[in-house]
Amino acid sequence: MTWPTRSEWLYSLKCFAASMLALYVALKAGLPRPFWAMMTAYVVANPLAGAVRSKAVYRFGGTFLGAAASVVLVPNLANAPTLLALALALWVGVCLFISLQDRTPRSYVFMLAGYTAALIGFPSVERPDQLFDNALARVEEIGVGILCATLVHSLVLPAGLSAPLLGLLDRAQGDARTWLADLAARAHRRDAGGATLAADRQRLAADITQLRILSTHVPFDTSHLRWTEGALQEMQDRLAGLTPALSAAEDRLQALEEAEGQLAPDVVAVLDAMGEWLALPPPDQAAAWPWLQGLLDRLGSDPAQGDWSRALRISLATRLGELLQGWQACGALRADIDTGLTGAAPVTARRPTLGARVLHRDPGMALLSAAAAVVAVSGCSLVWIETAWPIGSVAAMMAAIFCSLFAAMDNPVPAISGSLKATVWAMPFAALYVLVLLPLAHDFASLVLVCAPVFLALGCLAARPALVGLAFPMIMGVAGSLALGDIATLDFPYFLNSNLSMLMGIAVAALVNQLMRSVGSGVVARRLRRAAWRELADLAGARRGLPDESHAVRSLDRIGLLAPRIAQTPPQQRDDAARAALRELRVGADIAVLQTQRAAGRAPGARLLLAGIAQGFRQWSDHGPSAWPDALRRALDRALLRAMRPAADAVDPAALVTALVGLRRNLFPRAPRTLGAPVQEPAA
């Protein structure tokens, strides 16, 4: 293990300073358990100042909500301890379920509201007359810890979000630029689409999701970055919109190669022009855009070409036009962000965006996680009440905390078990503090000196992502042992009971999750795929015909979630799953266009097409993939031929042709190269 770096020492010193300041204020204020304030300062700590401030807001909101719930529940059920314990367990489960519907830091509000009610309510089951005082004390102690952590991390050499957020943004933009360059070089480089490029595609999807999650901290940042929120959100939406168009353009080039043996000269000329345009600086790109747009408009205008070849060219030109215009917009937005970072007035005003509400949700797994939490908390409560175990309420509290903290994982058991081991390793340090060192500290200065060695060392380890899973539970184990009781009256029996109860709660959380909640990556991957099929069915079956603008973001999020879960599968299966996820992303974009055309009365026959697609994806979600009926392919061919006639029914035939070509390519990748030719698609 290497010696801590300067940044790790700085982070550890700031965490320790915030915790000692919180402890000092809590002691001066006469709060009953001042080490709650100290522990809270570590809980809200983060290397980024903006994340500390946002987490502080969410934690205080969750604490207040949890305290209010305990004040409502405990007095009304004080005469029925078993029923009260069940009510608190159900509250934990309901709050956990709600929190899992939002995968951003905002979910912390409801998660914390759940186990804060347990932290306050369970110790009050036997002493309900002290409930309000305990609830008020916890809110005050946690509030002091939050305030001190926010002040220290915001004022002492604050680390802004700019570097990690803009680094992630530039990487995503660079991946999109690489994808564009691959398209432009397709005629001269046949290795496009290899394993390395496929990994880049999946990384782009994951980066866009991470950008949305990290951006929730931007309003709380200490730098000028917060003035660029509008441009940041707009650029994220633009990057999300580029991805299906990039994938569709890549597919059309492949289809042209399959249909004509190689890329024809007119297509190569457009790609070469696009490569030259991409190499220009942004001002020159804007000046040269009309010339490139003219080349795109002429692609597919030769009536001598076959219907399918013309349709592919029209679709390719449309997608490339969308791509390049979106790329120009991304460049302008990136310049706006740089302007905002100088402190100038924001160029891009804040606007309503798709935001984080569009990210993938899995209510089924969330319900299973909530049920596991209810069972674990109820089991610990039953043992505690039936055995009349002093301090047995700590087990129920720990079960609530650990079932909540790791609920978003596919298999939370390894993480909970690791925390259990770290807590065991922390017990000797906790015993040393509680039973030996703290009684020797006669003033605050000596208390600081006593706490410094262990907490500074663990703080350095917590600054390392690879070791935070060990260091943070150890910090919580030591600080939690100090916070569980009144230091002035702590003795060995109380310390032993409270720590055994703590370990039992963590162990029960691991056991219950092992029995009820743990699933393999393959199960989660299948659920992600089925969720995509259900959404495509809903999108195609929408009666109003209004496209769901958030579909692309949610699909990209699923691609990002799918990538690590298929990483351990055989290469062929992994590649097939990755291609299928991108194909479904393109299908959603094409359905959205077709719905828009149908709603405007510009696509006769679209209603029956969409109904067939919706029915097919519902069958996929219920029974797994199967072959699409050839009748649907023939209907797509008829719609394509109608859309390409000189007197086409659609006002914007290029958009309609593009959507229909996309659906034909994605649903029937082995369809004949002639529109209307009879063929029976082989089984999937």
Side-chain angles (χ1 to χ4, degrees), residues 255-275:
L256 282 167
E257 286 181 332
E258 293 172 355
E260 301 176 359
Q262 62 180 0
L263 294 179
D266 58 337
V267 178
V268 173
V270 169
L271 294 180
D272 289 342
M274 187 177 81

Side-chain angles (χ1 to χ4, degrees), residues 257-339:
E257 286 181 332
E258 293 172 355
E260 301 176 359
Q262 62 180 0
L263 294 179
D266 58 337
V267 178
V268 173
V270 169
L271 294 180
D272 289 342
M274 187 177 81
E276 295 174 8
W277 182 86
L278 285 171
L280 297 173
D284 295 340
Q285 284 183 351
W289 173 247
W291 161 72
L292 185 55
Q293 180 68 66
L295 289 178
L296 293 173
D297 291 341
R298 289 192 293 274
L299 193 63
S301 60
D302 185 359
Q305 296 166 337
D307 290 331
W308 180 233
S309 293
R310 282 186 57 218
L312 287 173
R313 283 171 168 77
I314 293 171
S315 177
L316 175 64
T318 302
R319 291 305 187 204
L320 289 178
E322 294 172 356
L323 277 176
L324 299 178
Q325 288 178 320
W327 179 253
Q328 290 184 88
C330 285
L333 289 165
R334 187 63 182 88
D336 288 353
I337 293 170
D338 287 336
T339 302

Side-chain angles (χ1 to χ4, degrees), residues 156-282:
V156 181
L157 300 175
L161 280 166
S162 299
L165 183 63
L166 295 182
L168 195 59
L169 186 68
D170 290 339
R171 190 174 79 172
Q173 189 179 13
D175 287 342
R177 172 70 171 75
T178 301
W179 202 341
L180 273 171
D182 292 339
L183 291 177
R186 180 65 179 258
H188 310 290
R189 196 174 68 202
R190 296 303 181 90
D191 60 342
T196 302
L197 297 179
D200 291 341
R201 313 302 194 244
Q202 295 174 5
R203 189 179 69 178
L204 175 60
D207 285 349
I208 291 173
T209 295
Q210 288 301 314
L211 275 170
R212 290 193 178 276
I213 294 174
L214 192 58
S215 293
T216 58
H217 300 303
V218 169
F220 303 93
D221 194 52
T222 55
S223 68
H224 292 307
L225 184 68
R226 62 184 181 275
W227 307 123
T228 69
E229 185 183 12
L232 281 169
Q233 297 284 8
E234 175 77 19
M235 189 169 177
Q236 290 171 42
D237 290 346
R238 290 282 187 178
L239 286 172
L242 285 180
T243 309
L246 281 163
S247 180
E250 193 172 49
D251 175 76
R252 301 306 174 268
L253 289 173
Q254 181 181 349
L256 282 167
E257 286 181 332
E258 293 172 355
E260 301 176 359
Q262 62 180 0
L263 294 179
D266 58 337
V267 178
V268 173
V270 169
L271 294 180
D272 289 342
M274 187 177 81
E276 295 174 8
W277 182 86
L278 285 171
L280 297 173

